[in-house]
Amino acid sequence: MFANLLIGLREGLEASLIVSILIAYLVKTGRRRQLPLIWLGVGLAVGVSLAFGAALTFGPKGLSFQAQEIIGGSLSILAVGLVTWMIFWMASASRTLATDLRGQLEAAQAKPWSLPLIAALAVGREGLETALFVWAATKSAVGDGGSATEPLVGALIGIAIAVALGYLIYAGAVRINLSRFFAITGGFLIVVAAGVLAYGVH
């Protein structure tokens, strides 16, 4: 449960920070009328991520046991690769994240459809990574004789905490040293990823 809570918290906070940066920028530049486009993009990203998670969970069940094992192992190794890349990417990109997003918003001013696209791509990447890694971690836990429910509950709790923190950061009610936060959670996630990798290779 703790490992998946950590995944949901980290990935969810990344997505929440991106959304809060987009919203803050539009509010400060007097373009509140474009906020529904941001929420449209976020909604699309969440929908695609849930559909991807459902496909991972229910899609392979009609296949043979050997095919399920090949798919499970391959996707687990892919999940480890993505999470490892994400840990290093966030360590280098966290300082310029807000500036990069603002630059994209400036470029998108003349094209209203670009706003939901930016939000969908930014949040969707985190959502797809979360769905894949939570699925792989859950498969690993079940393979070790654990329950499938606890990892999912842990991920949902982590995402809920991340959304609340994102709102508090946006409202100025709380300040977090993001570099330290991502460094600490990255260290924990490397340990989790090692367990998922062992399951995937097995």
Side-chain angles (χ1 to χ4, degrees):
M1 179 182 270
F2 175 73
N4 283 274
L5 187 150
L6 192 63
I7 294 163
L9 176 60
R10 184 188 169 100
E11 296 284 341
L13 188 57
E14 283 184 44
S16 295
L17 288 172
I18 290 167
V19 172
S20 65
I21 289 167
L22 294 174
I23 291 172
Y25 181 77
L26 290 180
V27 169
K28 286 178 182 177
T29 55
R31 287 183 275 170
R32 286 178 178 269
R33 66 186 183 282
Q34 294 178 309
L35 288 176
L37 294 175
I38 297 293
W39 291 117
L40 174 65
V42 171
L44 289 172
V46 170
V48 168
S49 300
L50 289 173
F52 180 61
L56 287 174
T57 303
F58 303 111
K61 287 191 174 177
L63 301 174
S64 68
F65 176 76
Q66 185 177 16
Q68 288 183 44
E69 290 294 290
I70 291 170
I71 291 172
S74 301
L75 289 178
S76 295
I77 293 170
L78 175 64
V80 170
L82 283 173
V83 166
T84 304
W85 170 81
M86 175 266 299
I87 289 168
F88 288 108
W89 176 83
M90 198 60 191
S92 63
S94 58
R95 293 183 185 89
T96 60
L97 185 64
T99 307
D100 293 344
L101 279 173
R102 289 186 191 113
Q104 290 178 24
L105 281 170
E106 288 291 349
Q109 279 190 59
K111 303 170 185 173
W113 55 266
S114 295
L115 289 174
L117 185 62
I118 291 170
L121 290 176
V123 176
R125 185 189 67 201
E126 309 303 334
L128 292 174
E129 284 179 1
T130 302
L132 180 58
F133 200 74
V134 167
W135 175 83
T138 302
K139 290 278 287 182
S140 176
V142 171
D144 291 337
S147 166
T149 306
E150 287 184 6
L152 294 175
V153 170
L156 289 174
I157 292 171
I159 291 169
I161 294 170
V163 170
L165 281 175
Y167 174 76
L168 291 172
I169 290 170
Y170 168 77
V174 68
R175 293 184 66 84
I176 295 175
N177 184 328
L178 294 175
S179 296
R180 184 174 297 175
F181 171 82
F182 286 120
I184 292 170
T185 55
F188 278 115
L189 278 182
I190 288 172
V191 175
V192 175
V196 173
L197 179 63
Y199 165 78
V201 171
H202 169 75

